[in-house]
Amino acid sequence: MFRRQSGRYVATFATDEVRVLRKVASEVVGLLTDGFDHSDPVVGRLFPDAYPDDRSSTAEFRRYTEGDLKTAKIDQAGAILAALPGESGGEVRLDAEAAEAWLRALNDARLAMGVRLEIKDGTDLGEELDEAVAEDPTSSRVFQLSVYAYLGYLQESLLNALIDGS
């Protein structure tokens, strides 16, 4: 998907891909703004306790770092939204800085989805998707697992383009 071209990282996105990426990035922004709640396991995954055994030190660490980290994550999701073509699809051209922001935003989106989908380290995504399809091919879980897999593919593609271009 992504390839290096004239110092940029380039990919062409179809209409459905643009819609999915716009929705995912917007949901991450929403989670980090309106929906920001430390009791949400997704927020816990994106902002883990720095000192799991020391609530006081964790709170102190959060006080100094959380605002900047949250702003950075919102900006990274915003980098996806800013670079996406119009609804009809088209080409995305990223410089190195934007490509790095995309990688971090895609990672955050996958972490968030992984928590919601209960994906663990040893989860076989193909098996998970096959089971969901066998249960109900029209379920939202099938769609969500497909999006999760797509984001992984996109992240890997961009990472490979960055590595090949260095």
Side-chain angles (χ1 to χ4, degrees):
M1 170 153 260
F2 272 99
R3 64 198 178 284
R4 185 170 168 100
Q5 183 181 52
S6 302
R8 300 269 180 188
Y9 303 93
V10 181
T12 302
F13 292 92
T15 301
D16 289 342
E17 291 171 308
V18 170
R19 285 188 189 131
V20 164
L21 287 171
R22 187 165 281 122
K23 181 163 179 50
V24 166
S26 296
E27 286 179 0
V28 169
V29 170
L31 175 74
L32 297 173
T33 54
D34 305 332
F36 196 75
D37 175 5
H38 282 285
S39 67
D40 182 340
V42 171
V43 171
R45 182 70 172 106
L46 294 176
F47 296 87
D49 290 342
Y51 306 98
D53 298 328
D54 185 347
R55 296 181 107 188
S56 175
S57 294
T58 292
E60 185 74 5
F61 183 78
R62 278 189 203 288
R63 188 165 68 93
Y64 289 109
T65 62
E66 188 171 84
D68 289 341
L69 184 56
K70 191 178 355 172
T71 298
K73 289 180 178 299
I74 292 167
D75 289 348
Q76 291 156 10
I80 289 178
L81 294 169
L84 285 173
E87 288 297 320
S88 60
E91 193 173 79
V92 167
R93 302 178 66 76
L94 306 173
D95 61 18
E97 185 178 338
E100 293 285 340
W102 270 57
L103 280 177
R104 289 188 296 275
L106 290 169
N107 189 60
D108 286 345
R110 290 189 79 236
L111 286 172
M113 288 188 78
V115 169
R116 295 281 191 247
L117 292 167
E118 299 179 0
I119 304 288
K120 307 290 183 221
D121 282 342
T123 300
D124 180 327
L125 192 55
E127 220 174 86
E128 214 38 53
L129 192 51
D130 288 346
E131 286 176 22
V133 167
E135 230 174 88
D136 178 4
T138 63
S139 73
S140 63
R141 182 161 178 82
V142 170
F143 177 73
Q144 292 167 346
L145 286 167
S146 298
V147 169
Y148 180 84
Y150 169 71
L151 294 176
Y153 163 74
L154 190 59
Q155 188 177 24
E156 183 178 357
S157 167
L158 181 52
L159 183 59
N160 286 336
L162 281 164
I163 290 169
D164 292 343
S166 339

